Amino acid sequence: MIEALAAELAQWGPGLFLKTSVWLYPLVNALHILAIGAVLTSVLLMDASVLGFWGRSPGQQAVIALLRPVTIFALVLALVSGFLLFSVRPVDYIANPVFRLKLVLLALALVNALIFLAFSPQSILRKPAAALSAVLWLGVLVAGRFVGFLD
């Protein structure tokens, strides 16, 4: 079923256009890399703050309040640009075990982020969730880089 959906997506107009465009594919790819960099940087800074890398200053809540909107915006850009890049070769990507690992790690990172939102600022579970967040997001990055090399 997933393979059939991927085959159908391979015929999608924007994906076909990206596949044949000399300029658009590299621009979407660059946008994806920029968005991933922004997501990872902001997430790691928030995680470091929760883990106490800078002591109590600047306050965890201030760092999170400042960076959360950046993270959400960058994540939306990464997801949209990633989907566009995926649409160029969906059958190949679905068959790639590293790509599937990347998707699992991404899903786990997003679930972890949602669970983190439920914790109060005084919760003892914030630090383990922040440490797990850093590991998961770095895993997404590494798996994403390996996708292109392990076709």
Side-chain angles (χ1 to χ4, degrees):
M1 177 164 152
I2 291 175
E3 292 82 8
L5 288 172
E8 189 72 27
L9 182 60
Q11 302 307 313
W12 187 51
L16 292 173
F17 183 68
L18 270 174
K19 190 183 294 191
T20 59
S21 174
V22 174
W23 298 103
L24 191 57
Y25 184 88
L27 289 174
V28 172
N29 195 17
L31 177 64
H32 189 62
I33 292 167
L34 178 66
I36 290 167
V39 168
L40 197 61
T41 300
S42 59
V43 164
L44 290 177
L45 287 171
M46 287 187 287
D47 291 342
S49 176
V50 170
L51 292 169
F53 279 44
W54 301 299
R56 281 296 198 193
S57 179
Q60 290 177 23
Q61 292 308 108
V63 170
I64 291 171
L66 178 69
L67 292 175
R68 184 175 286 147
V70 173
T71 306
I72 292 168
F73 178 76
L75 180 61
V76 169
L77 279 178
L79 292 172
V80 170
S81 59
F83 180 77
L84 288 171
L85 295 171
F86 170 76
S87 73
V88 171
R89 295 179 32 217
V91 174
D92 296 335
Y93 286 127
I94 289 295
N96 186 323
V98 180
F99 179 78
R100 292 193 309 266
L101 174 63
K102 175 187 173 180
L103 292 183
V104 168
L105 292 171
L106 176 60
L108 291 172
L110 293 172
V111 167
N112 185 63
L114 291 174
I115 292 170
F116 182 87
L117 292 174
F119 297 145
S120 73
Q122 294 77 27
S123 173
I124 61 170
L125 298 175
R126 285 172 65 93
K127 284 189 178 189
L132 180 59
S133 169
V135 169
L136 288 171
W137 284 107
L138 288 169
V140 171
L141 174 72
V142 171
R145 290 308 308 141
F146 272 87
V147 166
F149 296 103
L150 299 175
D151 283 337

